[in-house]
């Protein structure tokens, strides 16, 4: 069984494993596992293979790109120039210095963990002195961390200028970025989401963006895809990308090879190339 | 005398030094020196102070931002989503992997030299394995390099996927990026210009972009500012920024301090903080 469509709620697991009583393998082409009924797979001994780190570099690159774009207003000034405003309306308003952004890596034994996202983009971030807060959470693990996590994210947000969300969607991370976290991030704070839309309380984020309670957002994922909330459309401090962080020809090629490799391994009774082990 | 407006031709030096026979100091707030009649200043012993490395981080950050933007189509997909096309027209076309871009640093004894642009953004580039060609040329120096430079740039362009232009505008670099260089860069090549517009033969670049002879461009500077060639406006593979690479509040503050510091030093008969020494 190949799973390709990441549902945007962790609560709506695909019913497929239940409908296919003889299935023995699930190969997903998505980075997230929220669309797979992992407990059912575990119960029935169905093997699950994920994308390993095939998407990692692309996702990180997009995260960095979105962050620079929001801080330096690249997309907004591109529209400004292309609409012919420069000669008539003069210089474009100042952006913020990227290199001043406050950087915090955040993971810990109890559940924040450097996932697949060990990547070129993150290495690139590490190359800079101060920078960007990154929250990294392994999906489907350490379910006891729920409330403490939310509190820690608040602390993290209060101490950084930019928060990059690149964790998986689980019951624990659903609306992890809520009113309190956004408020802690503050008026100069920027949020980038390359994880899953429902990790952020989107209505609250829209309100914060419209009222200047946070400075800006770069979003690749949304609560309701592809029907993005129209409130975003008029906001110059928001850069939107249609859930395409992983879509480069190079990654698609690597993905095909991995999927085929997993199928070949499975039917040859060899270990899967990228088995997901639910701890 | 404070010089603030960078003229976009190296041939039109400001006549001010000639009009102000008693001037003893020129403090420029521009990174480029092409607007200053350096031979006249040298002849009359007029001191020249430049911006040192005040703008370096901002310029480098924008260069990286423009490059990721072009490769990953961030501005174009932002417009796509904001125009409501995602639900009706489906996924946005694939971008190119940033991390695959071929990286060449290029400088040499004879004139390509790591200038002020020794920077966070460049350090950031260094953090990645392969990447981007960067040409770095000290303005106003080594005038004998003209023809060899053009040939070397051709070679460089043929061996890289992206060419970041961050050199000064001089007689030697005017239209340095011409038909031959663009053709050497090729169909998959991307050009980023954060130096000065006339370093690129803009008409030729527009033709290459329209006919797919190069893949894309991220441009902060243009041959005729602010009247940007309208041919650019309809091109999705081009990201335009209104000559604002250095405009962040943080850099403006650093700049004010440097300008005041230079004036104080000059009138106290102390060494200038950032004297330009014409070798």
């Amino acid at each position: 069984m190949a799973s390709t469509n990441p549902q945007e709620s962790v609560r709506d697991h695909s019913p497929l494993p239940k409908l296919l009583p003889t299935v023995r393998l699930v190969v997903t082409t998505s980075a997230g596992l929220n669309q797979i009924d992992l407990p059912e797979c575990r119960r029935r001994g169905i093997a699950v293979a994920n994308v390993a780190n095939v998407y990692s570099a692309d996702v990180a690159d997009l995260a960095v790109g979105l962050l620079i774009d929001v801080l330096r207003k690249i997309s907004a000034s591109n529209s400004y120039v292309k609409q012919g405003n420069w000669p008539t309306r003069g210089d474009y308003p100042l952006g913020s210095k990227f290199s001043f952004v406050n950087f915090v890596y955040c993971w810990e034994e109890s559940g924040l963990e450097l996932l697949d996202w060990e990547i070129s983009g993150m290495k690139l971030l590490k190359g800079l002195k101060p920078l960007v807060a990154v929250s990294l959470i392994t999906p489907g693990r350490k379910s006891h961390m729920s409330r403490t996590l939310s509190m820690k994210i608040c602390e993290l947000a209060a101490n950084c200028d930019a928060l990059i969300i690149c964790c998986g969607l689980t019951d624990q991370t659903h609306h992890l970025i809520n009113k309190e976290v956004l408020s802690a991030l503050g008026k100069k704070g920027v949020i980038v989401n390359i994880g899953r839309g429902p990790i952020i309380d989107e209505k609250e984020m829209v309100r914060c963006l419209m009222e200047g309670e946070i400075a800006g957002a770069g979003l690749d994922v949304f609560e309701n895809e592809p029907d993005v909330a129209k409130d975003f459309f008029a906001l110059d401090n928001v850069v939107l990308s249609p859930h395409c962080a992983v879509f480069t020809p190079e990654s698609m090629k690597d993905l095909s090879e991995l999927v085929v490799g997993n199928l070949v391994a499975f039917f040859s009774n060899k270990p899967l190339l990228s088995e997901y082990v639910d701890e």
Side-chain angles (χ1 to χ4, degrees), chain A residues 42-136:
Chain A
R42 198 184 310 124
R43 198 180 61 76
R44 287 175 40 200
I46 298 170
V48 177
N50 64 13
V51 295
N53 60 359
V54 160
Y55 296 145
S56 303
D58 280 348
V59 173
D61 293 341
L62 190 71
V64 176
L66 287 172
L67 181 61
I68 303 183
D69 198 312
V70 174
L71 288 170
R72 299 301 308 270
K73 305 185 181 179
I74 295 177
S75 287
S77 64
N78 177 56
S79 299
Y80 185 82
V81 176
K82 286 187 174 172
Q83 285 161 12
N85 289 326
W86 192 12
T88 53
R89 294 172 58 187
D91 285 341
Y92 197 73
L94 300 181
S96 302
K97 203 175 187 99
F98 177 64
S99 316
F100 275 12
V101 176
N102 203 3
F103 188 25
V104 189
Y105 265 100
C106 177
W107 68 94
E108 48 176 299
E109 298 153 28
S110 67
L112 297 174
E113 194 177 307
L114 198 61
L115 230 205
D116 292 336
W117 321 97
E118 172 65 79
I119 31 193
S120 68
M122 293 303 163
K123 281 178 201 154
L124 186 146
L125 290 175
K126 279 179 193 166
L128 292 172
K129 276 172 276 175
L131 259 223
V132 176
V134 186
S135 80
L136 301 139

Side-chain angles (χ1 to χ4, degrees), chain A residues 145-155 176 178 181:
Chain A
M145 69 182 174
S146 162
R147 286 207 171 271
T148 36
L149 184 63
S150 170
M151 281 186 58
K152 295 221 165 127
I153 290 284
C154 253
E155 224 172 90
L176 177 71
N178 54 21
V181 178

Side-chain angles (χ1 to χ4, degrees), chain A residues 5-24:
Chain A
N5 184 25
Q7 298 296 317
E8 289 310 347
S9 167
V10 68
R11 290 168 184 84
D12 300 329
H13 292 312
S14 162
L16 271 178
K18 284 186 183 150
L19 295 174
L20 299 169
T22 59
V23 76
R24 290 161 51 213

